[in-house]
Amino acid sequence: MRRFVYCKVVLTTSLVWVLVDVFLLLYFSECNKCDNKKDHSLLPALRAVMSRTHVAPGEMGKAVVIPKDEQEKMKELFKINQFNLMASDMIALNRSLPDVRLDGCKTKTYPDELPNTSIVIVFHNEAWSTLLRTIHSAINRSPRHLLLEILLVDDASERDFLKKKLEHHVATLEVPVRILRMVQRSGLIRARLRGAAATRGQVITFLDAHCECTVGWLEPLLARIKEDRRAVVCPIIDVISDETFEYMAGSDMTYGGFNWKLNFRWYPVPQREMDRRKGDRTLPVRTPTMAGGLFSIDRTYFEEIGTYDSGMDIWGGENLEMSFRIWQCGGSLEIVTCSHVGHVFRKATPYSFPGGTGQVINKNNRRLAEVWMDEFKDFFYIISPGVVRVDYADVSSRKALRESLKCKPFSWYLENIYPDSQIPRRYYSLGEVFSYTADKEIRTDDLCLDASRLNGPVVMLKCHHMKGNQMFEYDAERLTLLHVNSNQCLDMPSEEDKMVPTLRDCSGRRSQQWILRNMTLSV
Ligand code: UD2
Ligand code: MN
């Protein structure tokens, strides 16, 4: 009997929710048709109810769960864009998101008179729902007077819905949206240049085509540029899961750097930068590099500082090129921690790279290194020999730009802006795998060869720069690497050591002889 009552209660409660759901679904499908007109005063309240009832998939940034019997189809669809297209298509174009800002950001006020912005979004074969959610979230969460226009640049997409259907859809929006079409596939760099040239706003804001802007994202970016027109500012990039479209807040404690192969990487914000901001995490973080996709820049400053290198193709390298250029030529690059924008990070690229992925990225990186990295380019070329083999065309106009802007050397950048960089300022020797540094470390990126046991194997551990177990003395005559702490020599891997290099008493035998290549300093 009791169980019966319980079931009944559960059933009626569910029934009520189902009715609420149906109502909300109807309401929101209507709303989607009329494209987010502001006059839905009920909307915020309904959104709140909706998030409690989980009525629509993905509301409040929740993960979308695909039922078992749909998962085969889901996997098929995943391949089109390298993200869960089925999940994305299930989510409303104006889905609600949590307010992930630091508390100190929520109460900040900004000047009434902020510069306005044009948003530039370039895309190649983007999915409908992700592209439109980028646009809708930007419109819904930007004060109307600050968002002048949106420019879409279609980089020669081949999908039908991105033609007339897209034009009709954007024509109904309350912010002017213009679509420019590249005649042939040009890559994101030249597509952005085309978009930027057509903007009329005081600031240009670039976004990837699969983003979601959160509440209050725009004001802090514009306010920082108003303070200093040479500040180029990025939001914190939150993660939208490629598997579930769950919205996950990014950290304000990481900033942009790069590794030995010039890949962009996130690293912890160093203590010196925390100290400079006196521990106030709501203040902008000075970042050595930017991820590349999401940033705002004063429009005239974008021109002055040399826009982009139009000789770069398709994808890659432009973010570091711009980062080095901004810092070396007198600007600053910052992450405005009060601004959050989500981005779908993918594990693989969904589109083709005409000419081959490696070729394209090597060419862009070569141009970057030739123009901005001075003698440090040699370090990079040894690590990435493929880069030296590509034809990188003419960089003379970029070198002339560097000259005319009187930009500082790369060593200045490494010393002053990126002292925690993984590039050893001084090294004795460099092979394709390891370097032997002036600190007598055997090192690759931020990992150092470390030995803690007599007659034991060596391992790679995070470099601590305290010498100790990570210090090896090279004897250029005997060709030995002496582990000073244990007074033993590095020995070649053998079957017996399970192929791991090991410390052994120094015996002078062949397996303890190491040839260091590309010596730059004498040991
Ligand atoms: C990151 C950046 C991206 C760019 C790239 C390096 C973020 C969040 N994203 O990679 O903006 O700086 O690093 O180059 O920081 N696209 C075209 N034509 C092409 C290729 C791409 O229009 O030939 C578009 C694409 O549709 C997308 C944007 O360019 O809107 C960025 O491409 P992505 O999303 O593949 O780059 P991502 O996020 O892996
Ligand atoms: Mn992207």
Side-chain angles (χ1 to χ4, degrees):
M1 179 61 190
R2 193 175 278 162
R3 182 177 292 166
F4 173 72
V5 173
Y6 173 76
C7 287
K8 203 168 152 199
V9 170
V10 171
L11 276 177
T12 13
T13 335
S14 323
L15 197 68
V16 170
W17 285 129
V18 166
L19 286 173
V20 172
D21 289 1
V22 169
F23 166 73
L24 287 171
L25 272 177
L26 286 174
Y27 183 89
F28 276 93
S29 46
E30 267 310 294
C31 183
N32 275 340
K33 269 186 223 136
C34 61
D35 288 313
N36 306 295
K37 289 284 182 302
K38 270 191 196 151
D39 55 0
H40 291 296
S41 50
L42 263 178
L43 212 65
L46 281 169
R47 280 229 180 90
V49 177
M50 235 167 76
S51 69
R52 254 196 293 122
T53 60
H54 300 284
V55 60
E59 287 302 324
M60 281 313 272
K62 293 266 161 51
V64 175
V65 185
I66 306 289
K68 274 240 149 38
D69 56 343
E70 295 272 27
Q71 287 190 356
E72 274 312 305
K73 190 159 167 228
M74 174 192 85
K75 283 184 193 144
E76 271 310 301
L77 291 170
F78 194 100
K79 295 176 193 154
I80 304 176
N81 301 87
Q82 291 298 333
F83 54 63
N84 191 338
L85 181 59
M86 182 181 264
S88 178
D89 285 350
M90 285 163 69
I91 301 172
L93 297 182
N94 55 8
R95 78 153 153 178
S96 53
L97 291 176
D99 183 349
V100 294
R101 293 173 297 176
L102 293 164
D103 281 338
C105 293
K106 296 180 187 167
T107 49
K108 275 202 183 186
T109 53
Y110 299 98
D112 291 334
E113 291 279 302
L114 289 174
N116 64 17
T117 191
S118 305
I119 294 181
V120 173
I121 301 170
V122 304
F123 62 91
H124 175 71
N125 286 343
E126 187 61 47
W128 176 265
S129 52
T130 43
L131 175 62
L132 268 295
R133 208 173 296 115
T134 309
I135 298 172
H136 282 243
S137 68
I139 294 177
N140 291 344
R141 300 202 178 93
S142 305
R144 183 62 191 86
H145 68 288
L146 295 181
L147 177 51
L148 183 71
E149 58 182 351
I150 298 178
L151 276 118
L152 302 179
V153 186
D154 172 7
D155 188 13
S157 300
E158 294 128 351
R159 299 195 179 145
D160 230 23
F161 59 78
L162 294 170
K163 307 283 186 261
K164 280 273 164 302
K165 184 178 171 196
L166 181 63
E167 283 161 26
H168 289 145
H169 184 90
V170 299
T172 64
L173 302 178
E174 62 179 291
V175 168
V177 181
R178 281 186 279 157
I179 307 179
L180 307 174
R181 312 260 184 199
M182 301 302 278
V183 186
Q184 58 173 28
R185 175 86 182 279
S186 309
L188 71 94
I189 297 115
R190 288 193 286 277
R192 278 185 196 160
L193 281 171
R194 169 95 182 274
T199 56
R200 290 180 283 230
Q202 290 159 283
V203 167
I204 307 176
T205 298
F206 293 95
L207 295 177
D208 272 10
H210 30 260
C211 289
E212 288 178 63
C213 303
T214 70
V215 56
W217 74 289
L218 187 58
E219 296 91 327
L221 297 175
L222 300 177
R224 182 65 191 116
I225 292 174
K226 182 187 164 82
E227 249 170 46
D228 178 357
R229 65 182 284 276
R230 293 186 305 178
V232 178
V233 289
C234 312
I236 288 184
I237 309 183
D238 295 331
V239 176
I240 303 171
S241 160
D242 57 337
E243 304 276 346
T244 65
F245 276 72
E246 181 181 4
Y247 196 96
M248 294 172 278
S251 166
D252 64 290
M253 305 292 265
T254 58
Y255 78 173
F258 54 88
N259 68 6
W260 280 16
K261 289 193 175 284
L262 292 187
N263 300 122
F264 171 87
R265 288 281 179 275
W266 300 104
Y267 295 100
V269 175
Q271 194 57 42
R272 72 183 146 77
E273 183 57 13
M274 298 304 281
D275 294 345
R276 190 188 64 82
R277 294 146 74 222
K278 302 198 172 59
D280 183 350
R281 288 164 56 186
T282 69
L283 293 179
V285 175
R286 288 156 63 99
T287 178
T289 71
M290 67 162 139
L294 289 56
F295 66 97
S296 297
I297 185 168
D298 178 277
R299 186 165 52 82
T300 56
Y301 185 60
F302 182 62
E303 286 291 329
E304 244 170 77
I305 195 86
T307 62
Y308 271 124
D309 176 357
S310 61
M312 289 189 171
D313 302 328
I314 307 296
W315 185 101
E318 96 295 342
N319 55 330
L320 294 194
E321 193 272 343
M322 183 165 236
S323 307
F324 297 170
R325 179 157 44 86
I326 288 166
W327 281 120
Q328 287 174 241
C329 311
S332 77
L333 182 60
E334 301 174 11
I335 297 172
V336 172
T337 53
C338 286
S339 172
H340 278 262
V341 177
H343 169 262
V344 185
F345 286 91
R346 295 182 273 217
K347 296 179 190 81
T349 162
Y351 39 76
S352 65
F353 277 60
T357 317
Q359 284 291 103
V360 168
I361 297 175
N362 282 344
K363 174 183 171 186
N364 293 353
N365 281 342
R366 181 81 197 266
R367 294 181 67 88
L368 155 73
E370 284 295 323
V371 179
W372 297 103
M373 291 177 70
D374 307 326
E375 71 274 20
F376 286 86
K377 70 180 184 201
D378 298 326
F379 175 91
F380 172 57
Y381 294 158
I382 292 165
I383 298 291
S384 307
V387 173
V388 201
R389 291 193 285 267
V390 291
D391 175 11
Y392 63 101
D394 180 26
V395 292
S396 56
S397 68
R398 298 307 283 178
K399 285 190 167 164
L401 169 81
R402 179 173 169 172
E403 199 62 33
S404 72
L405 292 172
K406 302 196 171 43
C407 308
K408 297 194 179 79
F410 195 66
S411 58
W412 174 89
Y413 167 83
L414 285 182
E415 254 148 55
N416 295 280
I417 306 303
Y418 197 18
D420 44 320
S421 139
Q422 306 305 334
I423 305 219
R425 234 42 47 77
R426 276 151 45 84
Y427 55 92
Y428 291 124
S429 155
L430 197 56
E432 270 149 46
V433 188
F434 298 118
S435 72
Y436 180 59
T437 69
D439 289 333
K440 305 193 170 170
E441 300 156 329
I442 300 171
R443 170 169 163 187
T444 183
D445 241 328
D446 58 346
L447 297 178
C448 281
L449 211 61
D450 187 298
S452 57
R453 274 198 294 129
L454 272 183
N455 301 309
V458 291
V459 288
M460 296 304 296
L461 290 182
K462 189 136 176 93
C463 300
H464 52 49
H465 310 304
M466 313 267 281
K467 304 199 184 291
N469 283 335
Q470 297 184 348
M471 181 164 74
F472 291 81
E473 197 89 62
Y474 187 60
D475 184 327
E477 262 159 40
R478 289 194 217 136
L479 304 178
T480 50
L481 281 161
L482 176 74
H483 186 246
V484 181
N485 253 9
S486 62
N487 201 31
Q488 287 194 312
C489 283
L490 188 66
D491 211 325
M492 291 264 277
S494 64
E495 296 274 341
E496 163 198 355
D497 305 321
K498 301 200 177 68
M499 302 313 281
V500 181
T502 300
L503 290 184
R504 298 237 183 279
D505 288 337
C506 301
S507 64
R509 62 168 177 263
R510 278 293 296 267
S511 61
Q512 292 185 356
Q513 293 178 352
W514 303 86
I515 295 167
L516 302 189
R517 288 200 285 142
N518 302 307
M519 301 287 268
T520 61
L521 306 162
S522 54
V523 183

PDB file of all heavy atoms in Angstrom, residues 221-244:
ATOM      1  N   LEU A 221      36.437  43.746 -21.334  1.00  0.00           N
ATOM      2  CA  LEU A 221      37.397  43.784 -22.445  1.00  0.00           C
ATOM      3  C   LEU A 221      37.497  45.211 -22.988  1.00  0.00           C
ATOM      4  O   LEU A 221      38.584  45.764 -23.159  1.00  0.00           O
ATOM      5  CB  LEU A 221      36.956  42.830 -23.573  1.00  0.00           C
ATOM      6  CG  LEU A 221      36.890  41.331 -23.247  1.00  0.00           C
ATOM      7  CD1 LEU A 221      36.311  40.561 -24.434  1.00  0.00           C
ATOM      8  CD2 LEU A 221      38.289  40.789 -22.921  1.00  0.00           C
ATOM      9  N   LEU A 222      36.320  45.796 -23.239  1.00  0.00           N
ATOM     10  CA  LEU A 222      36.306  47.143 -23.816  1.00  0.00           C
ATOM     11  C   LEU A 222      36.856  48.170 -22.828  1.00  0.00           C
ATOM     12  O   LEU A 222      37.553  49.110 -23.212  1.00  0.00           O
ATOM     13  CB  LEU A 222      34.877  47.518 -24.246  1.00  0.00           C
ATOM     14  CG  LEU A 222      34.265  46.587 -25.297  1.00  0.00           C
ATOM     15  CD1 LEU A 222      32.826  47.007 -25.607  1.00  0.00           C
ATOM     16  CD2 LEU A 222      35.104  46.566 -26.575  1.00  0.00           C
ATOM     17  N   ALA A 223      36.545  47.968 -21.545  1.00  0.00           N
ATOM     18  CA  ALA A 223      37.010  48.919 -20.526  1.00  0.00           C
ATOM     19  C   ALA A 223      38.535  48.940 -20.464  1.00  0.00           C
ATOM     20  O   ALA A 223      39.158  49.990 -20.320  1.00  0.00           O
ATOM     21  CB  ALA A 223      36.427  48.556 -19.167  1.00  0.00           C
ATOM     22  N   ARG A 224      39.145  47.775 -20.605  1.00  0.00           N
ATOM     23  CA  ARG A 224      40.613  47.717 -20.553  1.00  0.00           C
ATOM     24  C   ARG A 224      41.234  48.427 -21.768  1.00  0.00           C
ATOM     25  O   ARG A 224      42.264  49.109 -21.656  1.00  0.00           O
ATOM     26  CB  ARG A 224      41.063  46.256 -20.487  1.00  0.00           C
ATOM     27  CG  ARG A 224      42.537  46.041 -20.380  1.00  0.00           C
ATOM     28  CD  ARG A 224      43.135  46.558 -19.082  1.00  0.00           C
ATOM     29  NE  ARG A 224      44.593  46.558 -19.147  1.00  0.00           N
ATOM     30  CZ  ARG A 224      45.356  47.642 -19.100  1.00  0.00           C
ATOM     31  NH1 ARG A 224      44.815  48.846 -18.944  1.00  0.00           N
ATOM     32  NH2 ARG A 224      46.676  47.550 -19.194  1.00  0.00           N
ATOM     33  N   ILE A 225      40.589  48.305 -22.925  1.00  0.00           N
ATOM     34  CA  ILE A 225      41.100  48.972 -24.126  1.00  0.00           C
ATOM     35  C   ILE A 225      40.897  50.485 -24.018  1.00  0.00           C
ATOM     36  O   ILE A 225      41.738  51.265 -24.450  1.00  0.00           O
ATOM     37  CB  ILE A 225      40.433  48.400 -25.397  1.00  0.00           C
ATOM     38  CG1 ILE A 225      40.886  46.949 -25.598  1.00  0.00           C
ATOM     39  CG2 ILE A 225      40.762  49.239 -26.626  1.00  0.00           C
ATOM     40  CD1 ILE A 225      40.199  46.216 -26.723  1.00  0.00           C
ATOM     41  N   LYS A 226      39.782  50.870 -23.380  1.00  0.00           N
ATOM     42  CA  LYS A 226      39.563  52.305 -23.169  1.00  0.00           C
ATOM     43  C   LYS A 226      40.685  52.890 -22.296  1.00  0.00           C
ATOM     44  O   LYS A 226      41.188  53.978 -22.534  1.00  0.00           O
ATOM     45  CB  LYS A 226      38.198  52.538 -22.515  1.00  0.00           C
ATOM     46  CG  LYS A 226      37.842  54.010 -22.298  1.00  0.00           C
ATOM     47  CD  LYS A 226      36.569  54.129 -21.487  1.00  0.00           C
ATOM     48  CE  LYS A 226      36.384  55.522 -20.912  1.00  0.00           C
ATOM     49  NZ  LYS A 226      35.822  56.474 -21.866  1.00  0.00           N
ATOM     50  N   GLU A 227      41.105  52.110 -21.292  1.00  0.00           N
ATOM     51  CA  GLU A 227      42.190  52.542 -20.413  1.00  0.00           C
ATOM     52  C   GLU A 227      43.508  52.663 -21.161  1.00  0.00           C
ATOM     53  O   GLU A 227      44.301  53.540 -20.919  1.00  0.00           O
ATOM     54  CB  GLU A 227      42.406  51.448 -19.346  1.00  0.00           C
ATOM     55  CG  GLU A 227      42.023  51.809 -17.945  1.00  0.00           C
ATOM     56  CD  GLU A 227      42.059  50.544 -17.077  1.00  0.00           C
ATOM     57  OE1 GLU A 227      43.028  49.747 -17.154  1.00  0.00           O
ATOM     58  OE2 GLU A 227      41.075  50.359 -16.348  1.00  0.00           O
ATOM     59  N   ASP A 228      43.748  51.693 -22.053  1.00  0.00           N
ATOM     60  CA  ASP A 228      45.031  51.639 -22.759  1.00  0.00           C
ATOM     61  C   ASP A 228      44.793  51.028 -24.136  1.00  0.00           C
ATOM     62  O   ASP A 228      44.573  49.828 -24.258  1.00  0.00           O
ATOM     63  CB  ASP A 228      46.009  50.772 -21.950  1.00  0.00           C
ATOM     64  CG  ASP A 228      47.356  50.629 -22.645  1.00  0.00           C
ATOM     65  OD1 ASP A 228      47.518  51.156 -23.776  1.00  0.00           O
ATOM     66  OD2 ASP A 228      48.250  49.980 -22.071  1.00  0.00           O
ATOM     67  N   ARG A 229      44.856  51.874 -25.153  1.00  0.00           N
ATOM     68  CA  ARG A 229      44.504  51.374 -26.489  1.00  0.00           C
ATOM     69  C   ARG A 229      45.519  50.371 -27.025  1.00  0.00           C
ATOM     70  O   ARG A 229      45.272  49.675 -28.012  1.00  0.00           O
ATOM     71  CB  ARG A 229      44.324  52.513 -27.487  1.00  0.00           C
ATOM     72  CG  ARG A 229      45.599  53.303 -27.762  1.00  0.00           C
ATOM     73  CD  ARG A 229      45.319  54.441 -28.719  1.00  0.00           C
ATOM     74  NE  ARG A 229      45.167  54.021 -30.099  1.00  0.00           N
ATOM     75  CZ  ARG A 229      46.192  53.831 -30.932  1.00  0.00           C
ATOM     76  NH1 ARG A 229      47.432  53.970 -30.521  1.00  0.00           N
ATOM     77  NH2 ARG A 229      45.948  53.510 -32.194  1.00  0.00           N
ATOM     78  N   ARG A 230      46.674  50.269 -26.380  1.00  0.00           N
ATOM     79  CA  ARG A 230      47.646  49.283 -26.836  1.00  0.00           C
ATOM     80  C   ARG A 230      47.562  47.962 -26.066  1.00  0.00           C
ATOM     81  O   ARG A 230      48.416  47.089 -26.211  1.00  0.00           O
ATOM     82  CB  ARG A 230      49.057  49.860 -26.770  1.00  0.00           C
ATOM     83  CG  ARG A 230      49.229  50.990 -27.787  1.00  0.00           C
ATOM     84  CD  ARG A 230      50.651  51.478 -27.839  1.00  0.00           C
ATOM     85  NE  ARG A 230      51.125  51.893 -26.511  1.00  0.00           N
ATOM     86  CZ  ARG A 230      52.360  52.318 -26.276  1.00  0.00           C
ATOM     87  NH1 ARG A 230      53.233  52.373 -27.255  1.00  0.00           N
ATOM     88  NH2 ARG A 230      52.715  52.690 -25.065  1.00  0.00           N
ATOM     89  N   ALA A 231      46.536  47.843 -25.251  1.00  0.00           N
ATOM     90  CA  ALA A 231      46.316  46.565 -24.572  1.00  0.00           C
ATOM     91  C   ALA A 231      45.467  45.682 -25.504  1.00  0.00           C
ATOM     92  O   ALA A 231      44.397  46.085 -25.943  1.00  0.00           O
ATOM     93  CB  ALA A 231      45.595  46.780 -23.252  1.00  0.00           C
ATOM     94  N   VAL A 232      45.976  44.515 -25.808  1.00  0.00           N
ATOM     95  CA  VAL A 232      45.221  43.543 -26.612  1.00  0.00           C
ATOM     96  C   VAL A 232      44.706  42.505 -25.612  1.00  0.00           C
ATOM     97  O   VAL A 232      45.493  41.936 -24.857  1.00  0.00           O
ATOM     98  CB  VAL A 232      46.121  42.896 -27.683  1.00  0.00           C
ATOM     99  CG1 VAL A 232      45.363  41.858 -28.482  1.00  0.00           C
ATOM    100  CG2 VAL A 232      46.701  43.977 -28.585  1.00  0.00           C
ATOM    101  N   VAL A 233      43.396  42.316 -25.583  1.00  0.00           N
ATOM    102  CA  VAL A 233      42.826  41.592 -24.449  1.00  0.00           C
ATOM    103  C   VAL A 233      42.063  40.325 -24.845  1.00  0.00           C
ATOM    104  O   VAL A 233      41.333  40.301 -25.836  1.00  0.00           O
ATOM    105  CB  VAL A 233      41.899  42.515 -23.629  1.00  0.00           C
ATOM    106  CG1 VAL A 233      42.734  43.560 -22.886  1.00  0.00           C
ATOM    107  CG2 VAL A 233      40.861  43.196 -24.507  1.00  0.00           C
ATOM    108  N   CYS A 234      42.248  39.290 -24.053  1.00  0.00           N
ATOM    109  CA  CYS A 234      41.566  38.014 -24.288  1.00  0.00           C
ATOM    110  C   CYS A 234      40.669  37.726 -23.091  1.00  0.00           C
ATOM    111  O   CYS A 234      41.026  38.036 -21.966  1.00  0.00           O
ATOM    112  CB  CYS A 234      42.559  36.865 -24.376  1.00  0.00           C
ATOM    113  SG  CYS A 234      43.954  37.178 -25.459  1.00  0.00           S
ATOM    114  N   PRO A 235      39.537  37.066 -23.328  1.00  0.00           N
ATOM    115  CA  PRO A 235      38.754  36.580 -22.198  1.00  0.00           C
ATOM    116  C   PRO A 235      39.400  35.312 -21.670  1.00  0.00           C
ATOM    117  O   PRO A 235      40.296  34.759 -22.310  1.00  0.00           O
ATOM    118  CB  PRO A 235      37.406  36.240 -22.845  1.00  0.00           C
ATOM    119  CG  PRO A 235      37.757  35.857 -24.243  1.00  0.00           C
ATOM    120  CD  PRO A 235      38.956  36.689 -24.620  1.00  0.00           C
ATOM    121  N   ILE A 236      38.954  34.847 -20.513  1.00  0.00           N
ATOM    122  CA  ILE A 236      39.296  33.484 -20.113  1.00  0.00           C
ATOM    123  C   ILE A 236      38.522  32.578 -21.069  1.00  0.00           C
ATOM    124  O   ILE A 236      37.326  32.790 -21.310  1.00  0.00           O
ATOM    125  CB  ILE A 236      38.870  33.202 -18.664  1.00  0.00           C
ATOM    126  CG1 ILE A 236      39.795  33.960 -17.709  1.00  0.00           C
ATOM    127  CG2 ILE A 236      38.905  31.696 -18.372  1.00  0.00           C
ATOM    128  CD1 ILE A 236      39.542  33.686 -16.246  1.00  0.00           C
ATOM    129  N   ILE A 237      39.196  31.604 -21.638  1.00  0.00           N
ATOM    130  CA  ILE A 237      38.505  30.711 -22.573  1.00  0.00           C
ATOM    131  C   ILE A 237      38.008  29.496 -21.793  1.00  0.00           C
ATOM    132  O   ILE A 237      38.807  28.661 -21.351  1.00  0.00           O
ATOM    133  CB  ILE A 237      39.409  30.287 -23.735  1.00  0.00           C
ATOM    134  CG1 ILE A 237      40.053  31.532 -24.384  1.00  0.00           C
ATOM    135  CG2 ILE A 237      38.598  29.505 -24.775  1.00  0.00           C
ATOM    136  CD1 ILE A 237      40.919  31.232 -25.589  1.00  0.00           C
ATOM    137  N   ASP A 238      36.703  29.434 -21.595  1.00  0.00           N
ATOM    138  CA  ASP A 238      36.114  28.286 -20.908  1.00  0.00           C
ATOM    139  C   ASP A 238      36.014  27.123 -21.888  1.00  0.00           C
ATOM    140  O   ASP A 238      36.056  27.307 -23.106  1.00  0.00           O
ATOM    141  CB  ASP A 238      34.718  28.653 -20.386  1.00  0.00           C
ATOM    142  CG  ASP A 238      34.775  29.741 -19.322  1.00  0.00           C
ATOM    143  OD1 ASP A 238      35.787  29.824 -18.603  1.00  0.00           O
ATOM    144  OD2 ASP A 238      33.805  30.518 -19.217  1.00  0.00           O
ATOM    145  N   VAL A 239      35.848  25.938 -21.334  1.00  0.00           N
ATOM    146  CA  VAL A 239      35.827  24.748 -22.188  1.00  0.00           C
ATOM    147  C   VAL A 239      34.399  24.271 -22.401  1.00  0.00           C
ATOM    148  O   VAL A 239      33.670  24.012 -21.439  1.00  0.00           O
ATOM    149  CB  VAL A 239      36.649  23.613 -21.551  1.00  0.00           C
ATOM    150  CG1 VAL A 239      36.550  22.332 -22.377  1.00  0.00           C
ATOM    151  CG2 VAL A 239      38.106  24.040 -21.403  1.00  0.00           C
ATOM    152  N   ILE A 240      33.993  24.187 -23.653  1.00  0.00           N
ATOM    153  CA  ILE A 240      32.738  23.516 -23.977  1.00  0.00           C
ATOM    154  C   ILE A 240      33.147  22.129 -24.457  1.00  0.00           C
ATOM    155  O   ILE A 240      33.891  22.002 -25.431  1.00  0.00           O
ATOM    156  CB  ILE A 240      31.962  24.265 -25.077  1.00  0.00           C
ATOM    157  CG1 ILE A 240      31.692  25.709 -24.640  1.00  0.00           C
ATOM    158  CG2 ILE A 240      30.662  23.524 -25.410  1.00  0.00           C
ATOM    159  CD1 ILE A 240      31.117  26.584 -25.746  1.00  0.00           C
ATOM    160  N   SER A 241      32.706  21.108 -23.742  1.00  0.00           N
ATOM    161  CA  SER A 241      33.159  19.749 -24.046  1.00  0.00           C
ATOM    162  C   SER A 241      32.786  19.347 -25.476  1.00  0.00           C
ATOM    163  O   SER A 241      31.645  19.517 -25.893  1.00  0.00           O
ATOM    164  CB  SER A 241      32.534  18.770 -23.053  1.00  0.00           C
ATOM    165  OG  SER A 241      32.567  17.457 -23.575  1.00  0.00           O
ATOM    166  N   ASP A 242      33.739  18.798 -26.194  1.00  0.00           N
ATOM    167  CA  ASP A 242      33.452  18.338 -27.558  1.00  0.00           C
ATOM    168  C   ASP A 242      32.577  17.077 -27.533  1.00  0.00           C
ATOM    169  O   ASP A 242      31.962  16.727 -28.527  1.00  0.00           O
ATOM    170  CB  ASP A 242      34.750  18.077 -28.331  1.00  0.00           C
ATOM    171  CG  ASP A 242      35.663  17.072 -27.627  1.00  0.00           C
ATOM    172  OD1 ASP A 242      35.546  16.907 -26.390  1.00  0.00           O
ATOM    173  OD2 ASP A 242      36.486  16.444 -28.315  1.00  0.00           O
ATOM    174  N   GLU A 243      32.513  16.411 -26.375  1.00  0.00           N
ATOM    175  CA  GLU A 243      31.733  15.169 -26.264  1.00  0.00           C
ATOM    176  C   GLU A 243      30.291  15.430 -25.831  1.00  0.00           C
ATOM    177  O   GLU A 243      29.366  14.812 -26.333  1.00  0.00           O
ATOM    178  CB  GLU A 243      32.356  14.245 -25.210  1.00  0.00           C
ATOM    179  CG  GLU A 243      33.822  13.903 -25.438  1.00  0.00           C
ATOM    180  CD  GLU A 243      34.007  12.740 -26.400  1.00  0.00           C
ATOM    181  OE1 GLU A 243      33.002  12.054 -26.673  1.00  0.00           O
ATOM    182  OE2 GLU A 243      35.144  12.539 -26.878  1.00  0.00           O
ATOM    183  N   THR A 244      30.123  16.342 -24.859  1.00  0.00           N
ATOM    184  CA  THR A 244      28.791  16.505 -24.255  1.00  0.00           C
ATOM    185  C   THR A 244      28.253  17.932 -24.326  1.00  0.00           C
ATOM    186  O   THR A 244      27.128  18.188 -23.952  1.00  0.00           O
ATOM    187  CB  THR A 244      28.831  16.149 -22.759  1.00  0.00           C
ATOM    188  OG1 THR A 244      29.675  17.119 -22.100  1.00  0.00           O
ATOM    189  CG2 THR A 244      29.374  14.755 -22.523  1.00  0.00           C
TER     190      THR A 244
END
